[in-house]
Amino acid sequence: MSQLDAKIPEGPIKDKWTNHKNKINLVNPANKRLIDVIVVGSGLAGGSAAASLAEMGYNVKCFCFQDSPRRAHSIAAQGGINAAKNYQNDGDSTYRLFYDTVKGGDYRGREANVYRLAEVSANIIDQCVAQGVPFAREYGGLLDNRSFGGVLVSRTFYAKGQTGQQLLLGAYSAMSRQIGKGKIQMFNRHEMLELVIVDGKARGIIARNLITGEIQRHSAHAVVLASGGYGNVFFLSTNAMGSNVTAAWRAHKKGAFFANPCYTQIHPTCIPRSGDYQSKLTLMSESLRNDGRIWVPKKMEDVEAIRAGKKKPTDLSEEERDYYLERRYPAFGNLVPRDVASRAAKERCDAGFGVNATGEAVYLDFSSAIMRYGKEKATVMGEKNPSDQRVKELGEGVIEAKYGNLFQMYQKITDDNPYKTPMMIYPAVHYTMGGLWVDYNLMTTIPGCYAAGEANFSDHGANRLGASALMQGLADGYFVLPYTIGDYLADDIRTGPISTDLPEFVEAEKTVQDRLNALINNKGTKSVDHFHKRLGKVMWDKVGMARNAQGLTEAIAEIKQIREEFYKDVFVPGSMDSFNPELEKAGRVADFLELGELFAKDALHRNESCGGHYREESVEESGEQKGEAKRDDVNFKYVAAWEHKGEPSDAVLHKEDLVFENIELKQRSYK
């Protein structure tokens, strides 16, 4: 076991990033034209990095497995992006955003990185406005803000419920300009299947053309992995079906440490699971918790009547409803962080108060907000003594303007009108806070290999606050990597082009060919999805919202067994040298079957509760925080970074001690 060096600059935290930028090496414009950079992923982190690096003069190759960069999963982000602009004049600041993020992550994030994220957040908004991103505006013309969970201010910029899509189109427009100039070569429908290391440095990748099946070698002086998170290890998640861990896992198996894999976020506001044949879950934006109130019936007989169809939720009076978040957390109410809200929903449903047929749903109700907004609107319009029906009509119009596309999506999926009856929601796997370990410069433990956005672990600790994913992805791509990667590439101005005929490229290509051949020629009897679903069930049941030592130990053994059966009995139809979606899935699930075991191993070793990692053995047993997660700062105040040593069970733990010099380390409370 070793202590990791995060290369955090010296000095006061407010000066670290400025001083660091002033001292790092630079590459002059003429020399940038001699340097190649590979970016894997075209979402907000990858797209912004590719566009920025190409604008600076580097030669960029960008890879995505989708048919267009516009299809990256960042498009699915709904609610907004955080920035400390303080437009609402409600007390926000860089420090407040920094504090909320560290606290929201349950004091398991690296202070220096989080402060830098808060510091550059305001620049992101200016950048995106300049690109034409249509953020919502308030009556005076300024950009509007709304609040999200875990904060007491309004700092979230949004474009209705389509913020991710609009931000991605902004990054894509910047990419398109560089593609048109020839500074970015775009490789759509290509998947990275191996990282190539030459003389200890990342010097390229092996990619597969997903249309033709061709295996290709691509070289560069540095490789940036911006390939998203690994939530699909649970099979059912809010992630796109194609989202996977392969790029990051290939780097891990070549020497990049994987940090905190057990830190996975369960999002509290998702449409509940509807059946055994479902392939993914649908997110309802956390922004809905601004105006929606979460509740279950107080009486069991009302729960049973609702399940039996004898009562509707609208039949219950206010006194018959348990607004349990408002009851348990009066200071934050419905806007507690995601991990807290998710566990509270699970607690109510486990106690028998779930309101759908499976018992796994609570209500998200907008009736109060509709009436409140309706009365306000009527007053503004000069309507005196409007009827309740008129108030509802006006209020629904306000809600539609704020959340209309989300309500429409919910109605299309469930056939219920959320303007008239409360939404039903339940927690689901969403975002992963773990990822490749990176230092302050976003470099992994492999020189020349960087990780950005959700692919790295660096900014969110054990729980991500809502609207911070878009912030981190764009911060990494627009405002961090363009500086830090130059510090490394300054040594490569005389290197010249990297040849793809080097033995390391030949060997890496053969490794990929052999791996794919083995899957194609296996001739088993079970589909890839059969094994993925089995893995997902083990992960959800034993490594999900609540974990304990016995369940985790069982999960490790069961995942290992599933992996052994996968290689013996998986059937992958088709051929390797053609379009073959089942082969794509097989490779991704093979990596999930290894990651899943490391995930459970990490969760077992961390015998504390923090953020999204909830160990049943580590709970506050008395006092004001009774029943809440209990951290162990004496024994676990560190980043757990795992080094690959063959089997996941053989992974070696390395620690990065977390130092808190600017924020007091204390029990997290939202009461």
Side-chain angles (χ1 to χ4, degrees):
M1 186 188 300
S2 65
Q3 296 292 327
L4 289 167
D5 179 12
K7 297 183 174 64
I8 298 170
E10 298 293 328
I13 196 163
K14 65 182 180 61
D15 299 325
K16 286 183 187 293
W17 179 229
T18 300
N19 292 341
H20 188 59
K21 288 189 293 182
N22 289 340
K23 294 176 182 177
I24 58 179
N25 293 316
L26 302 176
V27 181
N28 83 37
N31 286 330
K32 288 188 177 83
R33 295 194 290 269
L34 307 176
I35 292 177
D36 305 318
V37 179
I38 284 173
V39 178
V40 180
S42 65
L44 288 184
S48 59
S52 299
L53 295 172
E55 182 75 40
M56 294 170 73
Y58 295 106
N59 305 308
V60 177
K61 289 183 176 182
C62 185
F63 295 79
C64 71
F65 64 75
Q66 298 91 349
D67 56 5
S68 165
R70 299 189 308 275
R71 302 272 291 180
H73 189 54
S74 299
I75 200 173
Q78 298 166 341
I81 176 170
N82 288 331
K85 285 282 198 181
N86 195 33
Y87 281 168
Q88 311 302 311
N89 199 28
D90 57 359
D92 202 9
S93 64
T94 296
Y95 181 85
R96 175 68 66 177
L97 176 52
F98 162 59
Y99 173 82
D100 287 343
T101 305
V102 172
K103 177 184 175 183
D106 216 353
Y107 303 91
R108 290 295 177 260
R110 185 191 290 159
E111 272 196 345
N113 285 65
V114 178
Y115 192 90
R116 177 176 63 187
L117 177 65
E119 188 178 350
V120 305
S121 65
N123 297 338
I124 298 171
I125 304 304
D126 297 339
Q127 169 91 3
C128 294
V129 169
Q131 290 173 337
V133 174
F135 287 121
R137 294 179 182 268
E138 46 91 71
Y139 72 97
L142 289 176
L143 299 183
D144 197 12
N145 288 126
R146 54 191 178 200
S147 57
F148 260 59
V151 305
L152 295 173
V153 298
S154 295
R155 67 162 63 102
T156 303
F157 296 78
Y158 65 97
K160 214 167 186 180
Q162 308 168 357
T163 314
Q165 179 181 16
Q166 299 303 325
L167 291 171
L168 187 61
L169 289 174
Y172 178 67
S173 68
M175 288 182 70
S176 295
R177 179 171 181 269
Q178 298 304 320
I179 292 170
K181 293 173 66 176
K183 293 300 293 181
I184 295 178
Q185 291 184 63
M186 193 67 225
F187 292 86
N188 301 335
R189 301 296 282 131
H190 282 68
E191 184 168 25
M192 171 187 159
L193 295 180
E194 196 63 81
L195 182 70
V196 181
I197 309 291
V198 179
D199 295 331
K201 297 180 178 181
R203 290 302 199 191
I205 66 170
I206 305 299
R208 180 172 181 266
N209 183 322
L210 300 180
I211 302 298
T212 67
E214 178 190 5
I215 307 298
Q216 303 171 350
R217 308 174 194 174
H218 295 274
S219 66
H221 298 91
V223 176
V224 177
L225 302 180
S227 50
Y230 49 88
N232 276 349
V233 69
F234 286 84
F235 185 70
L236 282 180
S237 81
T238 66
N239 287 234
M241 290 292 290
S243 298
N244 63 83
V245 76
T246 291
W249 198 251
R250 294 294 110 203
H252 172 59
K253 296 186 79 166
K254 281 295 183 74
F257 293 1
F258 208 102
N260 300 334
C262 76
Y263 288 169
T264 299
Q265 182 161 83
I266 312 295
H267 197 293
T269 53
C270 298
I271 297 178
R273 182 175 60 90
S274 59
D276 293 337
Y277 296 99
Q278 195 165 344
S279 58
K280 78 177 298 293
L281 297 168
T282 303
L283 173 69
M284 288 285 101
S285 169
E286 181 177 330
S287 62
L288 297 173
R289 289 200 278 148
N290 275 292
D291 290 312
R293 300 177 70 192
I294 297 173
W295 63 275
V296 293
K298 286 182 178 178
K299 300 176 183 177
M300 189 60 70
E301 53 262 39
D302 288 334
V303 174
E304 293 168 353
I306 287 172
R307 287 183 187 171
K310 297 176 181 177
K311 273 190 177 181
K312 297 178 180 178
T314 50
D315 294 334
L316 270 62
S317 67
E318 285 287 297
E319 292 71 26
E320 294 173 310
R321 302 178 179 191
D322 177 14
Y323 294 97
Y324 58 86
L325 290 178
E326 298 170 31
R327 168 173 55 82
R328 289 179 59 176
Y329 308 101
F332 283 75
N334 295 294
L335 287 174
V336 292
R338 292 174 175 180
D339 60 315
V340 176
S342 295
R343 282 195 294 274
K346 182 179 187 296
E347 185 276 329
R348 287 290 79 197
C349 290
D350 287 351
F353 290 90
V355 294
N356 67 348
T358 65
E360 294 181 333
V362 299
Y363 287 126
L364 180 62
D365 193 336
F366 289 85
S367 57
S368 296
I370 287 171
M371 296 303 289
R372 183 177 73 251
Y373 284 128
K375 290 175 183 176
E376 183 181 289
K377 186 77 169 179
T379 301
V380 170
M381 295 175 67
E383 297 186 19
K384 296 181 179 179
N385 301 317
S387 66
D388 284 351
Q389 184 58 38
R390 177 58 176 162
V391 170
K392 283 183 181 179
E393 180 184 321
L394 292 172
E396 287 175 6
V398 175
I399 292 292
E400 183 179 8
K402 297 180 74 171
Y403 311 113
N405 63 305
L406 299 172
F407 277 52
Q408 181 185 44
M409 182 168 66
Y410 181 87
Q411 186 165 1
K412 282 188 174 182
I413 292 171
T414 66
D415 200 29
D416 278 333
N417 183 347
Y419 294 102
K420 307 301 181 186
T421 188
M423 289 182 178
M424 285 196 289
I425 57 167
Y426 193 70
V429 173
H430 182 51
Y431 186 91
T432 53
M433 286 77 66
L436 294 175
W437 184 90
V438 292
D439 62 18
Y440 189 73
N441 295 319
L442 304 187
M443 190 189 290
T444 69
T445 46
I446 300 174
C449 179
Y450 292 79
E454 194 177 358
N456 75 33
F457 87 101
S458 66
D459 290 15
H460 305 297
N463 173 64
R464 177 175 70 81
L465 291 182
S468 287
L470 306 187
M471 177 174 61
Q472 186 213 346
L474 292 180
D476 287 355
Y478 282 140
F479 298 109
V480 179
L481 266 175
Y483 287 98
T484 61
I485 202 169
D487 189 44
Y488 172 80
L489 292 173
D491 293 332
D492 271 320
I493 59 176
R494 293 187 178 87
T495 301
I498 308 295
S499 171
T500 57
D501 294 327
L502 291 169
E504 291 86 351
F505 278 90
V506 176
E507 181 183 352
E509 181 181 347
K510 184 179 185 302
T511 299
V512 170
Q513 294 272 11
D514 291 347
R515 189 163 68 241
L516 296 180
N517 271 322
L519 290 170
I520 283 288
N521 295 325
N522 199 57
K523 306 307 178 189
T525 63
K526 302 287 194 310
S527 70
V528 175
D529 278 347
H530 167 83
F531 293 100
H532 197 179
K533 288 178 180 178
R534 284 178 60 191
L535 170 65
K537 180 167 175 52
V538 173
M539 293 296 295
W540 181 251
D541 289 347
K542 298 180 179 179
V543 204
M545 291 176 66
R547 305 157 181 177
N548 57 56
Q550 179 181 342
L552 291 168
T553 303
E554 292 171 356
I556 290 170
E558 289 172 24
I559 293 168
K560 190 175 295 188
Q561 178 65 32
I562 294 169
R563 188 168 68 248
E564 291 173 0
E565 291 181 30
F566 172 84
Y567 284 109
K568 290 177 183 176
D569 202 24
V570 71
F571 173 65
V572 181
S575 65
M576 196 175 77
D577 54 355
S578 64
F579 175 68
N580 191 342
E582 284 300 305
L583 181 59
E584 295 171 38
K585 277 199 294 186
R588 296 166 187 168
V589 171
D591 292 332
F592 279 138
L593 284 165
E594 294 182 352
L595 166 70
E597 184 178 341
L598 183 64
F599 189 127
K601 178 184 173 83
D602 184 46
L604 180 61
H605 115 274
R606 187 170 286 277
N607 191 19
E608 66 163 350
S609 292
C610 57
H613 170 62
Y614 186 73
R615 285 288 297 268
E616 293 174 348
E617 302 94 333
S618 188
V619 180
E620 295 288 348
E621 295 181 356
S622 61
E624 186 185 46
Q625 296 298 312
K626 183 177 180 180
E628 301 297 321
K630 182 180 181 180
R631 285 198 326 268
D632 180 354
D633 295 328
V634 173
N635 296 304
F636 294 101
K637 186 175 62 64
Y638 58 78
V639 176
W642 297 92
E643 181 183 4
H644 177 71
K645 289 291 186 181
E647 290 291 313
S649 57
D650 299 327
V652 173
L653 174 64
H654 300 265
K655 296 179 180 179
E656 177 199 340
D657 188 46
L658 292 170
V659 178
F660 294 91
E661 299 174 333
N662 300 275
I663 293 179
E664 180 188 357
L665 190 64
K666 61 182 180 181
Q667 173 70 33
R668 189 175 60 152
S669 174
Y670 292 96
K671 290 184 180 287

